[in-house]
Amino acid sequence: MLRVVVCVSGGGTNLQAIIDGVAQGAICNTDLVRVISNNPGAYALKRAKAAGIEGVCVSPKEFEDRQQFEEALIRCVEEAEPDLVVLAGFLVKIPVQLIRRYQNRIINIHPSLIPAFCGTGYYGLKVHEAALKRGVKITGATVHFVDEGMDTGPIIKQKAVKVYADDTPEILQKRVMEEAEWVLLPWCINLIAAGQVKVENGRVTITE
Ligand code: GAR
């Protein structure tokens, strides 16, 4: 069984897609052992509770400084002994020690086709605002391994989504979630649980 910790900050629709994927058998061989939120009010924590998954909040506001928060976050991940950490809308910069300890074992979902509209400052609705401002006709979502850069790690899978002339950031965000994110993330976790994802020289190959 692949032990998975999911980190969240907000609504948790991607978390829900993972929970449903496990329940419905689209994600096999996977145990969702803990959900970690940096935000005590995250609706994602309610989703975890409803699914019978342990939810833990590690809020930076509870700590004197960034270092203490990061240490607590690392402890919270390590205690759960995960094989894989999934960042599902987790809007915290991951401590570098965690990235080094879990090399190629942390994945993130980003709501664009990386390398477009990613990196510092591009998260949530801001990504879709930037895509509309630039006038792209296609956007999408990307699942990638997390390295020490911002959205620079090896890409596992991407899915394209059409942009329409009358889209607002909110409409586009919803389409990208429905058509790409909620499909891609469960798909990638299932592939990892099946041992089908290999990283070599910064590139991912998916084996049959
Ligand atoms: C998702 O669109 C996810 O791709 C994005 O935050 C949203 C979280 O929604 N993540 C980023 O922008 C990371 N840079 P959710 O809480 O409903 O899953």
Side-chain angles (χ1 to χ4, degrees):
M1 281 292 227
L2 187 83
R3 292 175 62 84
V4 174
V5 163
V6 184
C7 298
V8 295
S9 297
T13 62
N14 279 286
L15 168 66
Q16 192 65 54
I18 299 167
I19 291 170
D20 295 347
V22 171
Q24 292 159 10
I27 305 176
C28 299
N29 220 10
T30 293
D31 194 6
L32 302 175
V33 292
R34 179 175 278 188
V35 169
I36 302 174
S37 173
N38 62 312
N39 165 15
Y43 188 69
L45 284 172
K46 291 203 169 67
R47 295 182 190 271
K49 192 165 182 217
I53 304 164
E54 182 195 24
V56 183
C57 177
V58 184
S59 164
K61 291 183 186 139
E62 290 164 23
F63 300 92
E64 269 174 29
D65 55 31
R66 187 77 191 172
Q67 194 187 334
Q68 286 186 21
F69 164 64
E70 290 194 345
E71 282 165 7
L73 181 63
I74 293 170
R75 270 199 307 278
C76 190
V77 171
E78 288 194 326
E79 255 171 35
E81 299 184 346
D83 302 304
L84 180 72
V85 178
V86 177
L87 310 182
F90 190 53
L91 304 181
V92 168
K93 189 165 176 356
I94 302 300
V96 72
Q97 302 98 293
L98 198 63
I99 295 170
R100 288 181 187 160
R101 262 177 242 175
Y102 288 84
Q103 204 198 4
N104 296 335
R105 288 191 294 152
I106 306 178
I107 64 172
N108 178 49
I109 179 121
H110 184 78
S112 74
L113 294 173
I114 289 175
F117 313 116
C118 64
T120 307
Y122 287 102
Y123 58 89
L125 262 190
K126 289 181 191 294
V127 177
H128 305 293
E129 282 162 8
L132 290 177
K133 194 168 175 209
R134 185 65 185 83
V136 294
K137 308 303 177 213
I138 291 172
T139 184
T142 303
V143 177
H144 64 93
F145 285 108
V146 173
D147 68 5
E148 292 180 32
M150 191 63 113
D151 300 329
T152 52
I155 291 171
I156 304 170
K157 270 193 178 287
Q158 296 185 296
K159 195 162 187 294
V161 173
K162 278 188 183 167
V163 180
Y164 296 103
D166 55 354
D167 277 346
T168 62
E170 290 78 9
I171 289 171
L172 185 56
Q173 179 182 51
K174 185 162 178 281
R175 189 179 312 118
V176 169
M177 283 179 157
E178 287 172 354
E179 293 183 11
E181 297 188 45
W182 303 341
V183 182
L184 271 187
L185 196 51
W187 198 7
C188 289
I189 295 169
N190 186 52
L191 287 171
I192 291 170
Q196 288 177 253
V197 178
K198 303 266 172 286
V199 190
E200 252 174 334
N201 302 323
R203 289 198 196 184
V204 169
T205 46
I206 297 181
T207 57
E208 287 305 313

